[in-house]
Every structure is written in structure tokens, then in C-alpha cells.
């Protein structure tokens, strides 16, 4: 039985248990809900939880451990003779898996009958072409040992699948029955439901944490690969970025890091003052009506896809800056430049700064404003000397969040600043950033295991470290700020 | 009503009154919060405003330094004079006025700055000190007047928000007196304080009246009786009775005042 179907059955059992549990709770109390410890709905929920949760947990574990068990068991069947020259146990095992799925598909589509299978052992070559018919290509000839392993693989997997269906559905029924028989007016179903909710929430937060851990681990793992092929000193301190197809590349991060920081700096240079002033206007000066129009309008900026900003940079801002600033001032003739990307990215970041800062400025207690006005301060004196200083830690947090956005931005940079890695201080020159190079190294046509490709992971890791650091700093500052008024 | 107002006017000779209000109406949108209030507040006296909550004490107090201007929907009508000058006149800058009529709020609200900077805030804004030494002097004098100098003189550069509630309130009083106001308005200055801090602040108020005219809103009748010389009783936006504190508490003329004082309106 398929996993989806089993899940559906378990959920149906749960639903039935809910209805049954609810009405049973009412019956045990003789129809008077005042006698119940918990409302009937909670009793229903308790039955539902007992029916669904253990069964699904069992299934999850089963699905994780079944392949491990089958692999070890089947791997034992392959002799050294079956492992061809230049191949390895792992490659043979992946053949085994592919043949097993191929056989499943072939039988499923009727290309192959179970009887055929018995005869095939005589001529394993035949099976290769048959599998080809159902779209499964097997590299080399299939050796009899491998075929036998594949069949064993199919058999054990099928058997365990069946066992799993029985076990999971059985557990579900047993759970439902267990909870159902326990129902009585004193049964603390409300507490069961409370625990279930807590577990659910815990699970949700675990998903986020585990995903982060997974991403970090995969980055670390691949980066470790890279650093085995390429010395880390060169990666960190080499001032040239020049990947070659035939090896012997210079893969220094410095020009990319410089480009990243330069573009982000320019972006923040535009975004921070404008965003902050917009926030002050919205929080302190705008009437309710103006605010209700202006704030969503600014936030629309945050909803524009970055590729659209990229187009804007490429077609409008780039040529404009080149014709009116760079060329007249003799600073270059490239329409892709740090300035172009920084300016457009700055526009993108305005809502990040303004929206968060606006909330933070609004959170400054009215009593501080009253205090300042009460001493005869004007509005702008109050803003400059009381409100902004009070909101500053939070505003800095907002700026750092915007900065980590800027550092991770890719599209605007590709289209605005170009793709040539350079260490230069001229803002009207084309440069590029870490994110752009990650994309181009991974989508290039070099071999996956070469340092030229693997460097992408090391770059990703560096970027991750930088933005993580910024985020932690931002969160820390924002939290300190929150404590201030409590 | 009219009769009462007449008797009052006899009590108060115009020469002594620091602030005189006539026919004051305050509206919050459609809500008529203060109805035709006349009052004369004397110099170097403590005047208490008492009354059940929501009766408009704070609203009226905030008219006296035009703090109500900061509330969009609030509209003030009538005539309020400080030293015989109309404070709602077009030529009067409310910002300048607030330097002359200081205010202390219900909840202590020190700025998130150092103790020194809190007190120096007003003098700096209004340019009251010509040098750092003069500013130091003003800060020290104000903190002494706020009866908190001895407690903070060793940590003037520590944040004002780190003080205890009572200390914070006295710091706010020091901050308010630092601009050398002529009138000090206090809106329930002790309601967030414990009894010990309250008695310190009350003592301070009695000292402040040597130099300022103090108007204090309080919900505690004992407090009004302890610190004030004049008491005004507000009810539902109307000034019901105004007179010597002793007279109001021992021999109220209006039955509503009597019910409030004996605890029947609250
Ligand atoms: N900022 C405001 N906006 C609208 N109405 C207000 C505001 N402040 C006070 N009011 C109204 O004015 C009336 C008097 O309030 P207030 O002066 O605060 O009373 P008190 O200080 O005597 O308790 C109340 O009805 C209150 O609802
Ligand atoms: Mg009040």
C-alpha cells in the first residue's frame, strides 16, 4: 500500500475516533456536560491524537529505517566477483536499486510477467533491453549476482511495505481503541489536547532548526571537499579571481568579498537616510490618513521581484549614470557599475529600513514625547534628541537586517554591476559579488568534483557566515532594545 | 452655580492670581470634556484638583501649558491668562509657554539618557547656560531642588532609567524645574509610587511652593489635604467647588463635593 493511502486511512480512523469519542464522552456523563472534566470536543481530540500520532510516527521511522535494513541485507549478497574493475560496492548497489525499481515498473506496465522473471535468470542480457523499454537504462551488462540481489531487494522491500501497512493501521486502531475505552467523565482530555498542541508546535520549530542544520552541514561537507583540492590560504587571501576550465585557477575570495561589501555599502548609503526619514515622517508627522496610504505604497517596493529591479538597473539607471556622471567625470564608460547596482538595491531596501524603523519609532512610549514637549521642546528637537536616540538600537537592528538582504542579493548585481571580479575603488566600474559567482560557478560546464565548481560551496559558506553574523548582531541589538522599556 | 462663582470671585483678588481661566471649554471631537470652567490659581501656592476619574482634571491641567495642542482632535475654547497674558493668543509660542509652565507626569518618564543629560535637556534647548560650568550649576541646583542630589551626585552619568520609581519621579521634577518655570503642573505625580517615595515627593512639593505656583492633580484626598492650600473639585467636566483646602474638606458647600469627600461618588 502506498504511503499516501496509509496516511489517508489513518486520518480517517482519526476522524471516526473524533466523532465516536465526542459522543461517548457525552454518553458517559449522561448527556450533562457539566459532569465532564473536559468538554466533549476535547475527548474527541484525545481519541484522534491517539489514533493518528503514534501511527504516523511509527510510519516515519519505518520509512527511514527500512531502506537501511534492506541495503545492508542485500549488500551482503553481492560477492567481490560481481564488482567490476574500476567500480565500487556503492555503484553496484545503485545498480541494484535501479534494476529493482525497473523490475517494479516493468511488471507494473505489463512488459514483464512474474513468470518471465523466473526464466530471465537464464539470459540476463534480455532483461537489459526489457528495462530499456520502460525507460530504465542500465549501464553495463547485468551479472547474475546483481540480478539476484535486485530481486531480493524487491522481495524484501515489498514484504516490509506490506508489514508496514498492517503495523501502522493496526497501531492506529489500537490507539483509537485505547483512548476510547479510557473515556470517562474524569478523563483529562483537555490536558491531552494541550500536550498534543505543544508537541505539534515543537515539531514545527524543529523543522526549521533541522533544515538550517542540514543546509549548514551540506555546505560544510562540500566546502571541506573544496579545501582538500584548493588551499584555504589561497582562497582567503589571493587577490585574484580567475577560474580556468583546465585547472590552475586563481580562486581568491577577496575581489568578490570586496564587490559584495562595496555594493552593499552603496545600497545602504541610499537606503538608510531615505528609509529613516520616511519612517520618521510616517511615525511622527503623517496624519492617520496619509500614513494609511503612504505606508502600503512604500511597502509595495518590497514586493517587486528583484529581477524587475535588475531590468530597471540594466536599462534605465545604468545608461543614465554612465551618460550623466561616469563619462563626463572621466570615471569610466561602463553602464554596469557598483553605483548602478548599489543605487537600485538601495531603492529595494528602503521599505526594509522604513517599515521596521517606523514600527520601532512608534514603540517609543508617548510619555517620552510628552515629557519632551512638556519641557518646551519643538517637534524636531524631540525627534532628534529623544525619539531617535531611544529608537536607535532598534533602528540599527533594522539596518543590519537590510544589510544582510543586500549581501545576499544576486539578480540586481548581475544586471546592474556585471560579472567581472575586480578590486577597485572606482564606483563607476563593473564589479561583482559572491552570490553572482556562486551562480556562475555552479551553472558552468566544468566537472562537478573540480575545485572550480566546489568553490561555490566555500563561497556560500563564507556568505552564510557573514549574513549569520549580521543577523545575530541584529537580533541581539533588537532584543536589548526591547528590554529597555520593560 | 452662578451664585457660587460670584462668591469665589470675591475670595480671589486679581492681583495675586498667577493663572486665571474664564469660561474654558474643551472638546475631544464631539466629547465635551470640560464645561465652562472658571478658576484662579495663585502664585506660590499648591492648588489641588480632585475628582473622580474621567472628570477632566488632566484635560484641564493640560490646557494650562497647551499640551492639548499635541492632541489632534482636542479643541480648547475660552480665556486662560498667565500673568494677565492670554496664553492662547496667536502670538504666543506654545513651545516657549511650556518652558514657563513645566509639567510632571503620572508615570515617571526619564529620557533614556544619563541623569545629567535628563536635567540638562531643557536648559540646553532653551539656551539657559552660557558655559559648561553654568550648565553644571543649573543641573546641580535642579537636582537639589528635586531632593535627589545626594542620591545621584556620584553617578550623574548613569542612565536615568536605572533609578527606582520614586527617584525617577524626583528626577523628572528636577528636570522640570531646571528650565526655571513659573508654574509647575503635576498630573498624579505619586500614583505610580510606593508610600515612602510618595511622602518624599509630597515633602518636595511643599518645598517647591516657596518658588513656584504648583498645580497638582491627585486622586487621593489625603494627599490633597496634606499638600495643598487650595482645592478644586471637578465632576463630569464641571468645576463644582473651589476654595481653601481646609474649607473644602471640613465644610463643603456643594452636596456633590460632600458626597465625593465622604466616599459616595467615586
Ligand atoms: N487623548 C484623548 N482623546 C480623546 N478623549 C480623551 C483624551 N484624553 C481624555 N479624554 C476624555 O476626556 C475626558 C476627561 O479625561 P481626563 O481629563 O483624562 O480625566 P481625569 O484626568 O480626570 O481622569 C474623559 O471622558 C476622557 O475619555
Ligand atoms: Mg488623569
Amino acid at each position: 500500500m502506498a504511503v499516501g493511502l496509509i496516511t489517508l486511512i489513518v486520518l480517517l480512523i482519526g476522524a471516526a475516533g473524533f466523532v465516536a469519542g465526542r459522543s461517548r464522552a457525552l454518553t458517559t456523563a449522561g448527556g450533562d456536560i457539566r459532569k465532564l472534566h473536559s468538554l466533549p470536543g476535547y475527548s474527541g481530540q484525545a481519541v484522534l491524537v491517539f489514533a493518528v500520532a503514534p501511527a504516523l510516527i511509527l510510519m516515519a521511522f519505518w520509512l527511514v529505517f527500512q531502506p537501511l535494513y534492506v541495503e545492508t541485507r542485500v549488500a551482503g549478497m553481492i560477492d567481490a566477483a560481481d564488482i567490476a574493475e574500476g567500480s565500487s560496492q556503492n555503484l553496484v548497489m545503485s545498480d541494484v536499486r535501479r534494476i529493482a525499481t525497473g523490475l517494479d515498473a516493468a511488471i507494473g506496465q505489463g512488459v514483464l510477467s512474474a513468470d518471465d522473471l523466473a526464466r530471465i535468470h537464464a539470459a540476463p542480457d534480455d532483461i537489459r533491453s526489457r528495462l530499456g523499454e520502460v525507460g530504465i537504462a542500465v549501464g553495463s551488462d547485468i551479472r547474475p549476482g546483481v540480478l539476484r540481489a535486485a530481486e531480493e531487494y524487491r522481495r524484501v522491500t515489498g514484504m516490509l511495505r506490506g508489514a508496514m501497512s498492517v503495523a501502522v493501521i493496526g497501531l492506529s486502531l489500537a490507539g483509537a481503541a485505547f483512548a476510547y475505552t479510557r473515556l470517562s467523565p474524569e478523563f483529562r482530555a483537555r490536558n491531552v489536547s494541550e500536550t498534543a498542541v505543544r508537541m505539534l508546535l515543537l515539531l514545527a520549530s524543529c523543522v526549521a532548526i533541522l533544515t538550517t542544520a542540514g543546509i549548514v552541514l551540506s555546505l560544510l561537507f562540500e566546502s571541506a571537499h573544496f579545501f582538500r583540492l584548493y588551499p584555504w590560504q589561497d582562497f582567503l587571501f589571493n587577490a585574484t579571481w580567475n577560474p580556468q576550465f583546465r585547472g590552475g585557477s586563481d580562486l581568491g575570495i577577496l575581489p568578490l568579498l570586496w564587490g559584495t561589501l562595496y555594493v552593499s555599502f552603496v545600497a545602504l548609503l541610499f537606503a538608510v537616510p531615505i528609509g529613516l526619514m520616511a519612517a520618521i515622517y510616517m511615525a511622527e508627522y503623517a496624519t492617520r490618513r496619509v500614513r494609511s496610504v503612504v505606508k502600503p505604497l512604500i511597502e509595495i517596493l518590497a514586493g517587486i521581484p528583484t529581477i524587475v529591479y535588475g531590468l530597471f538597473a540594466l536599462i534605465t539607471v545604468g545608461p543614465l549614470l554612465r551618460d550623466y556622471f561616469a563619462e563626463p567625470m572621466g570615471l569610466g564608460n561602463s553602464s554596469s557599475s557598483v553605483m548602478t547596482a548599489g543605487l537600485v538595491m538601495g531603492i529595494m531596501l528602503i521599505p526594509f529600513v522604513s517599515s521596521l524603523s517606523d514600527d520601532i519609532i512608534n514603540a517609543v512610549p508617548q510619555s517620552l514625547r510628552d515629557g519632551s514637549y512638556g519641557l518646551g521642546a519643538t517637534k524636531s528637537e524631540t525627534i532628534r534628541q529623544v525619539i531617535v536616540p531611544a529608537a536607535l538600537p532598534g533602528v540599527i537592528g533594522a539596518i543590519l537586517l537590510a544589510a544582510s538582504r543586500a549581501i545576499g542579493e544576486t539578480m540586481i548585481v548581475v544586471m546592474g554591476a556585471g560579472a567581472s571580479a575586480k578590486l577597485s575603488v572606482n564606483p563607476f566600474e563593473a564589479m561583482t559579488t559572491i552570490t553572482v559567482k556562486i551562480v556562475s560557478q555552479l551553472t558552468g560546464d566544468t566537472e562537478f568534483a573540480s575545485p572550480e565548481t566546489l568553490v561555490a560551496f566555500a563561497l556560500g559558506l563564507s556568505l552564510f557566515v557573514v549574513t549569520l553574523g549580521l543577523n545575530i548582531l541584529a537580533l541581539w541589538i533588537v532584543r536589548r532594545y526591547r528590554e529597555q522599556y520593560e | 452655580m452662578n451664585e457660587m462663582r460670584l462668591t469665589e470671585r470675591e475670595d480671589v483678588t486679581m492681583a495675586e492670581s498667577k493663572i486665571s481661566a474664564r469660561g474654558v471649554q474643551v472638546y475631544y471631537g464631539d466629547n465635551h470634556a470640560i464645561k465652562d470652567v472658571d478658576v484662579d490659581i495663585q502664585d506660590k501656592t499648591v492648588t489641588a484638583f480632585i475628582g473622580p476619574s474621567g472628570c477632566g482634571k488632566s484635560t484641564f491641567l493640560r490646557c494650562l501649558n497647551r499640551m492639548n495642542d499635541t492632541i489632534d482632535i482636542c479643541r480648547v475654547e475660552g480665556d486662560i491668562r498667565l500673568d494677565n497674558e492670554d496664553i492662547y493668543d496667536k502670538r504666543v509660542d506654545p513651545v516657549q509657554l511650556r518652558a514657563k509652565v513645566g509639567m510632571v507626569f503620572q508615570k515617571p518618564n526619564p529620557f533614556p539618557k544619563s541623569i545629567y543629560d535628563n536635567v540638562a535637556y531643557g536648559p540646553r534647548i532653551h539656551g539657559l547656560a552660557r558655559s559648561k560650568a553654568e550648565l553644571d550649576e543649573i543641573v546641580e541646583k535642579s537636582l537639589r531642588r528635586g531632593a535627589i542630589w545626594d542620591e545621584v551626585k556620584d553617578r550623574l552619568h548613569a542612565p536615568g532609567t536605572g533609578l527606582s520609581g520614586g527617584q525617577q519621579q524626583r528626577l523628572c521634577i528636577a528636570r522640570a524645574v531646571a528650565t526655571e518655570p513659573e508654574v509647575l503642573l503635576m498630573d498624579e505625580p505619586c500614583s505610580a509610587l510606593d508610600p515612602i517615595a510618595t511622602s518624599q515627593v509630597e515633602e518636595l512639593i511643599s518645598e517647591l511652593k516657596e518658588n513656584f505656583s504648583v498645580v497638582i492633580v491627585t486622586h487621593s484626598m489625603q494627599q490633597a489635604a496634606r499638600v495643598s492650600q487650595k482645592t478644586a473639585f471637578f465632576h463630569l467636566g464641571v468645576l463644582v467647588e473651589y476654595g481653601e483646602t481646609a474649607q473644602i474638606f471640613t465644610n463643603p458647600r456643594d452636596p456633590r463635593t460632600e458626597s465625593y469627600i465622604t466616599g459616595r461618588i467615586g
Side-chain angles (χ1 to χ4, degrees):
Chain A
M1 238 187 279
V3 174
L5 186 60
I6 300 176
T7 314
L8 190 67
I9 292 176
V10 168
L11 290 179
L12 283 178
I13 296 173
F18 177 79
V19 175
R22 202 176 46 180
S23 60
R24 165 143 170 139
L26 260 181
T27 328
T28 55
D32 182 359
I33 61 167
R34 283 173 305 175
K35 292 204 188 110
L36 288 172
H37 171 271
S38 314
L39 289 174
Y42 284 118
S43 298
Q45 277 180 32
V47 178
L48 177 112
V49 166
F50 274 93
V52 173
L56 291 188
I57 291 170
L58 174 70
M59 186 159 78
F61 275 96
W62 199 299
L63 289 175
V64 171
F65 289 107
Q66 176 182 309
L68 295 181
Y69 168 74
V70 176
E71 300 261 313
T72 34
R73 187 169 162 166
V74 171
M77 289 178 57
I78 298 170
D79 342 313
D82 287 328
I83 300 171
E85 195 83 10
S87 183
S88 72
Q89 171 104 9
N90 268 341
L91 288 177
V92 176
M93 273 311 292
S94 77
D95 261 352
V96 168
R97 273 192 299 271
R98 273 148 55 103
I99 296 168
T101 22
L103 290 176
D104 276 342
I107 292 174
Q109 295 180 14
V111 181
L112 206 68
S113 74
D115 294 341
D116 286 342
L117 210 53
R119 264 181 280 121
I120 270 171
H121 281 293
D125 274 348
D126 192 32
I127 199 158
R128 193 173 159 203
S129 55
R130 296 267 184 115
L131 287 181
E133 283 168 41
V134 290
I136 307 241
V138 180
S140 54
D141 284 347
I142 299 171
R143 298 180 63 94
V146 174
L147 185 62
R148 240 182 299 120
E151 272 177 40
E152 176 70 2
Y153 188 95
R154 268 193 69 218
R155 195 183 62 79
V156 177
T157 305
M159 200 180 68
L160 287 177
R161 254 305 144 77
M164 180 179 84
S165 314
V166 173
V168 168
I169 292 173
L171 186 63
S172 173
L173 286 171
F178 172 74
Y180 186 77
T181 51
R182 292 276 305 268
L183 290 182
S184 69
E186 293 80 39
F187 183 65
R188 302 186 167 213
R190 219 173 158 194
N191 305 22
V192 172
S193 139
E194 200 61 19
T195 313
V197 167
R198 202 176 64 226
M199 290 301 167
L200 190 71
L201 299 181
L202 183 73
L203 200 72
S205 52
C206 284
V207 169
I209 292 169
L210 288 179
T211 317
T212 314
I215 292 172
V216 173
L217 282 181
S218 78
L219 272 182
L220 278 177
F221 194 69
E222 299 292 348
S223 301
H225 253 282
F226 169 71
F227 287 122
R228 250 177 268 137
L229 299 172
Y230 192 87
W232 61 270
Q233 298 91 331
D234 284 359
F235 175 71
L236 287 183
F237 302 117
N238 190 342
T240 337
W241 173 267
N242 184 22
Q244 302 282 328
F245 285 118
R246 266 168 269 106
S249 320
D250 283 312
L251 299 174
I253 194 178
L254 284 182
L256 305 183
L257 194 63
W258 168 251
T260 303
L261 296 180
Y262 201 177
V263 172
S264 306
F265 174 75
V266 173
L268 291 177
L269 215 56
F270 286 110
V272 170
I274 296 177
L276 208 54
M277 285 192 273
I280 290 174
Y281 174 74
M282 282 192 296
E284 298 293 322
Y285 288 93
T287 61
R288 198 176 292 259
R289 273 212 9 243
V290 171
R291 191 181 141 90
S292 70
V293 175
V294 172
K295 195 168 168 153
L297 278 182
I298 293 182
E299 277 163 8
I300 284 179
L301 286 179
I304 299 176
T306 55
I307 188 92
V308 176
Y309 280 110
L311 287 173
F312 180 56
L314 186 70
I315 292 172
T316 315
V317 179
L320 206 83
L321 286 179
R322 181 192 56 201
D323 297 344
Y324 292 95
F325 291 93
E327 280 184 342
M329 291 197 288
L331 288 173
N333 52 7
S334 151
S335 74
S336 302
S337 67
V338 167
M339 205 47 136
T340 309
L343 179 63
V344 174
M345 207 191 279
I347 296 171
M348 179 193 81
L349 293 178
I350 288 173
F352 285 83
V353 178
S354 74
S355 219
L356 265 171
S357 305
D358 174 37
D359 292 345
I360 290 158
I361 290 172
N362 265 320
V364 173
Q366 180 63 28
S367 66
L368 288 185
R369 293 184 184 90
D370 286 344
S372 176
Y373 295 142
L375 289 168
T378 63
K379 195 155 195 165
S380 69
E381 283 165 349
T382 302
I383 291 168
R384 254 183 297 125
Q385 303 194 27
V386 176
I387 297 176
V388 171
L392 196 62
V395 169
I396 290 175
I399 292 171
L400 290 183
L401 289 180
S404 63
R405 258 309 289 246
I407 289 172
E409 180 48 46
T410 315
M411 271 309 158
I412 296 177
V413 181
V414 183
M415 299 173 83
S420 58
K422 241 179 280 171
L423 263 171
S424 157
V425 286
N426 180 358
F428 289 101
E429 212 167 299
M431 280 178 222
T432 198
T433 64
I434 296 180
T435 49
V436 172
K437 283 301 161 195
I438 292 179
V439 175
S440 62
Q441 291 314 108
L442 274 181
T443 52
D445 39 13
T446 42
E447 197 187 331
F448 191 78
S450 70
E452 284 73 26
T453 308
L454 286 174
V455 71
F457 294 99
L459 290 176
L461 188 65
S462 318
L463 199 62
F464 181 78
V465 169
V466 172
T467 49
L468 185 74
L470 275 180
N471 273 312
I472 290 175
L473 195 64
L475 286 178
W476 180 72
I477 290 174
V478 169
R479 195 165 59 223
R480 270 202 35 183
Y481 157 80
R482 278 216 193 98
E483 284 161 3
Q484 211 170 45
Y485 300 120
E486 278 162 10
Chain B
M1 280 298 281
N2 274 334
E3 209 179 330
M4 190 197 84
R5 238 182 258 145
L6 282 176
T7 51
E8 235 175 66
R9 274 180 202 158
E10 282 160 22
D11 283 354
V12 180
T13 48
M14 286 305 278
E16 300 178 73
S17 77
K18 184 77 186 166
I19 295 178
S20 70
R22 290 291 174 271
V24 176
Q25 319 275 353
V26 183
Y27 304 86
Y28 289 107
D30 294 334
N31 176 9
H32 194 172
I34 290 289
K35 294 165 190 143
D36 200 22
V37 167
D38 295 359
V39 88
D40 286 288
I41 289 161
Q42 295 173 14
D43 203 7
K44 309 220 189 308
T45 349
V46 178
T47 307
F49 289 176
I50 60 169
S53 44
C55 67
K57 307 178 295 290
S58 303
T59 301
F60 186 71
L61 193 72
R62 293 161 62 93
C63 291
L64 304 181
N65 67 345
R66 296 187 58 175
M67 275 298 275
N68 283 330
D69 292 16
T70 62
I71 299 171
D72 294 336
I73 56 167
C74 185
R75 193 154 50 82
V76 179
E77 287 171 8
D79 184 58
I80 301 178
R81 290 171 180 275
L82 172 70
D83 291 332
N84 233 354
E85 276 181 61
D86 184 1
I87 63 169
Y88 279 86
D89 192 279
K90 283 215 164 46
R91 280 165 305 171
V92 171
D93 178 6
V95 168
Q96 287 296 292
L97 172 73
R98 289 183 204 133
K100 266 201 272 181
V101 184
M103 187 158 196
V104 175
F105 298 83
Q106 184 165 356
K107 227 182 110 223
N109 56 352
F111 302 134
K113 297 169 180 286
S114 71
I115 292 170
Y116 183 96
D117 288 337
N118 261 283
V119 179
Y121 185 83
R124 275 185 181 141
I125 283 179
H126 300 293
L128 299 184
R130 270 163 302 177
S131 63
K132 175 82 172 77
E134 227 174 85
L135 189 62
D136 288 349
E137 221 169 275
I138 293 176
V139 169
E140 175 172 347
K141 186 169 140 211
S142 309
L143 286 169
R144 281 189 195 282
R145 277 180 167 176
I148 191 181
W149 171 252
D150 290 331
E151 287 155 73
V152 300
K153 62 171 186 264
D154 301 324
R155 45 169 172 158
L156 288 177
H157 296 283
T161 42
L163 298 172
S164 75
Q167 289 175 323
Q168 287 189 8
Q169 193 62 302
R170 279 178 285 148
L171 174 64
C172 292
I173 294 172
R175 186 175 72 182
V177 301
T179 55
E180 294 287 338
E182 296 162 21
V183 181
L184 201 54
L185 309 176
M186 300 183 155
D187 192 351
E188 304 193 20
C190 300
S191 67
L193 305 184
D194 60 65
I196 292 174
T198 300
S199 72
Q200 286 167 331
V201 171
E202 281 179 9
E203 221 168 276
L204 173 58
I205 292 170
S206 306
E207 286 166 27
L208 289 172
K209 85 163 190 291
E210 307 299 322
N211 297 299
F212 311 100
S213 158
V214 178
V215 184
I216 176 170
V217 169
T218 172
H219 59 254
S220 150
M221 283 173 285
Q222 289 82 356
Q223 184 169 66
R226 280 193 301 264
V227 301
S228 72
Q229 287 78 53
K230 291 268 186 176
T231 297
F233 170 62
F234 286 81
H235 185 51
L236 300 175
V238 176
L239 178 65
V240 174
E241 188 165 351
Y242 177 52
E244 297 292 331
T245 300
Q247 175 255 310
I248 296 271
F249 281 94
T250 53
N251 185 21
R253 292 185 195 136
D254 194 286
R256 285 170 292 177
T257 317
E258 190 179 355
S259 332
Y260 181 68
I261 286 167
T262 53
R264 269 177 283 143
I265 317 181

